[in-house]
Amino acid sequence: MKRKALLKAVAGVVAATTVLTACGANDKPAQTGGEVKPGGTVRLLNDSATQQYDPAKSGSLVVTALGLVHRRLTSWKVAPGQDTTIIPDLATDTGRPTEGGKTWTFTLKDNVKYNDGSPIKAQDIKWGLERTYAAAFSGGLTYHKDLLSPGLAYKGPFEGGKELDSIETPDDKTIVFHLARPYGDWNWIASTPAFSPVPKGKGQEADYGNHPVASGPYVLEKYERGKEARLVRNPHWDRATDDTRKANPDTIVFQLGQDTSVISKRLIDDSGDDQSAFSIPFASPAQLAQIQANPSAKSRVVTSESGALAYLTLNTQRGKLVDPKVRQAFQYAVDKAAYQVASAGNAQLAGDIATTLITPGLQGREQFDLYPAPPSGDPEKAKKLLAEAGLPNGLDGLVLATRNENSYPEKAAAIQAALARANIKITIKALDEDTYTSEVDTKGISDYDLTLTSWQPDIPSANANIQPLFQSTEIGNGGVNESRYANPEVDRLITEAQATLDPAEAGKKWAALDKKILGDSPVVPLIYTRNSFLHGSKFGNVVIGRFPAYPDYRQFGLIQ
């Protein structure tokens, strides 16, 4: 897949890794003061100036904004304290694999309609997927692309009207996918935005996302970049066909381009319409102190159990870092406790220390630690490994690339200080998002020795934790294998795990890959970040499950 990391790609979700308490999600009731009832207007305050409602261009999770307007073949059941499970959405089931998982068949439910009252057809799912191959409609998640068109030979439906032959629609309700190879997670992939229906023949205009045809409970009534996205009810959405979307509010207003400090102040003050509001981004550490000092605001914070994996990448194709023993020294040199403090002020606020690649909440994850050390690290052990690798005086002249936002410069400084204890001297280069993507993710050969970043999977599968970050095909061209890790045996095992249909068996294979990759030390796991969200006193049903570490927008409503 060729796209930015999820924490930047998700439409409508930009959350900092700071929290108020160490409690799990929803330890404090989200709907203090009463029961959520249908009706009214909720406001979601967003610091981003844009939202993407074209499913071909979106990396939005099932639980966020796009899912209010567009349905998909499958969906997720999310609940606090429970693993996220797959359930049908537009389809009658979660897919029927044959040929060992190389062919998947779905049947659409009865009475599923667009906002104009016309029926949703299997051909519309196919058309929506075909749109994603056109260059003008790139930018969304791409797990499906190479599986349906090896080598991406297919270029979309707009020039010459060519169809994607790997997708069959024998009738209006049946869609059959013929994949290039067996793929056990195809039912999860069918929950990504590309599997949203677009009426066949529509969506050829570049601004389709400003006026999409809706299949979900809401229609995009108004979109004004930097100001507002307004969703109103879809009169032809049938609640009886949809098990996940509560569709409580009559109207959902995203206020775009808001200053984060202003958002925080509005919700702390909790007056007027802001009592019915929710913050998509979270406050800075300085603002957290204000919230902690306000009992009312503190009671209106909901925190995830876990979240993205924050990690330090080591460029396995550059200089002395080609030696695994040199890379293993970094596992002991880092000070994860200092990283926690730099992230959010203290360990409790930041998230738990990480020792695995697969994040908590995913099936098959195993807890282990190949490099046991105190939270502050073991610089003497790091020095010993460097000496054994022929570097008794350590390393000098390394360059660490990181983003210049969300306290990344402070976190990079903590890494720099920790490495210095082990005689590893680095220079930090803080880059804006576009430059970081261009210099680190687009180039096949990076000029940087280290990068500091984070990752949360696009789907609740360890596949989405491991494959994007460590398969050799994800080096450069927008991929996120920033360690430039290329191991043919790991590539083979990834393909083998992806082909496994039984989730439990696949989980074991992904856990084994977690250990195998970490044995090569292409990255240093730092923490599993937590996310927290503040809402007004009349805003209810702020639900966060074990995955993802974001609230389920489908449940939102007003306490009346």
Side-chain angles (χ1 to χ4, degrees), residues 35-117:
E35 180 183 353
V36 167
K37 296 182 180 179
T41 298
V42 298
R43 292 166 177 81
L44 280 67
L45 312 181
N46 196 346
D47 61 346
S48 174
T50 63
Q51 279 194 327
Q52 182 55 259
Y53 287 97
D54 186 334
K57 297 180 179 181
S58 175
S60 178
L61 296 172
V62 164
V63 300
T64 54
L66 190 83
L68 301 171
V69 175
H70 298 289
R71 299 179 67 174
R72 310 164 192 196
L73 281 178
T74 61
S75 189
W76 308 348
K77 183 179 180 181
V78 176
Q82 299 179 22
D83 288 345
T84 296
T85 57
I86 189 168
I87 61 173
D89 191 357
L90 286 173
T92 58
D93 56 30
T94 57
R96 303 180 296 281
T98 53
E99 296 185 272
K102 193 173 181 180
T103 299
W104 286 78
T105 302
F106 296 82
T107 302
L108 297 188
K109 294 175 180 175
D110 295 330
N111 300 318
V112 287
K113 300 176 181 179
Y114 293 111
N115 61 283
D116 63 2

Side-chain angles (χ1 to χ4, degrees), residues 230-436:
R230 178 178 292 267
L231 309 184
V232 297
R233 290 193 182 278
N234 172 4
H236 293 284
W237 172 74
D238 185 353
R239 189 181 299 274
T241 69
D242 195 332
D243 293 329
T244 65
R245 297 169 179 84
K246 299 297 184 184
N248 287 311
D250 292 328
T251 306
I252 301 174
V253 177
F254 291 86
Q255 295 185 1
L256 306 176
Q258 304 292 305
D259 182 85
T260 53
S261 62
V262 175
I263 291 174
S264 180
K265 184 178 187 308
R266 286 172 59 180
L267 290 177
I268 290 172
D269 291 346
D270 192 41
S271 63
D273 288 342
D274 291 333
Q275 293 179 317
S276 305
F278 169 84
S279 173
I280 290 176
F282 199 63
S284 68
Q287 293 160 349
L288 290 174
Q290 296 178 339
I291 295 171
Q292 283 187 301
N294 184 309
S296 171
K298 189 175 180 180
S299 72
R300 292 183 274 111
V301 172
V302 181
T303 303
S304 67
E305 294 181 31
S306 186
L309 172 70
Y311 58 100
L312 177 72
T313 71
L314 314 174
N315 189 339
T316 60
Q317 298 183 16
R318 185 171 168 87
K320 299 297 184 181
L321 295 178
V322 300
D323 185 343
K325 182 161 283 190
V326 173
R327 300 196 299 266
Q328 288 168 359
F330 283 78
Q331 303 285 349
Y332 297 97
V334 296
D335 184 339
K336 298 181 182 182
Y339 184 87
Q340 289 175 313
V341 172
S343 296
N346 62 53
Q348 284 189 332
L349 300 182
D352 296 334
I353 285 175
T355 60
T356 68
L357 303 173
I358 299 174
T359 49
L362 301 186
Q363 184 167 8
R365 178 182 182 272
E366 294 181 10
Q367 177 60 42
F368 62 88
D369 187 355
L370 295 185
Y371 308 100
S376 60
D378 187 345
E380 295 307 313
K381 174 74 170 178
K383 290 178 184 177
K384 181 180 178 182
L385 288 172
L386 290 174
E388 291 174 0
L391 298 169
N393 298 319
L395 279 165
D396 196 357
L398 302 185
V399 178
L400 167 65
T402 190
R403 295 173 176 85
N404 61 3
E405 59 186 1
N406 291 343
S407 72
Y408 269 112
E410 292 81 6
K411 291 183 282 191
I415 294 293
Q416 182 183 46
L419 296 182
R421 302 177 309 166
N423 295 330
I424 301 172
K425 298 178 182 178
I426 68 170
T427 299
I428 299 169
K429 287 204 172 180
L431 310 171
D432 63 66
E433 176 64 28
D434 289 342
T435 303
Y436 185 93

Side-chain angles (χ1 to χ4, degrees), residues 185-246:
D185 275 341
W186 188 252
N187 50 359
W188 284 114
I189 302 304
S191 72
T192 59
F195 290 78
S196 303
V198 176
K200 187 170 182 179
K202 291 187 179 293
Q204 300 188 45
E205 65 278 15
D207 66 345
Y208 176 73
N210 294 350
H211 49 264
V213 181
S215 52
Y218 295 95
V219 178
L220 181 61
E221 180 185 62
K222 175 185 177 183
Y223 177 74
E224 190 173 358
R225 177 187 171 93
K227 292 187 178 180
E228 180 178 295
R230 178 178 292 267
L231 309 184
V232 297
R233 290 193 182 278
N234 172 4
H236 293 284
W237 172 74
D238 185 353
R239 189 181 299 274
T241 69
D242 195 332
D243 293 329
T244 65
R245 297 169 179 84
K246 299 297 184 184

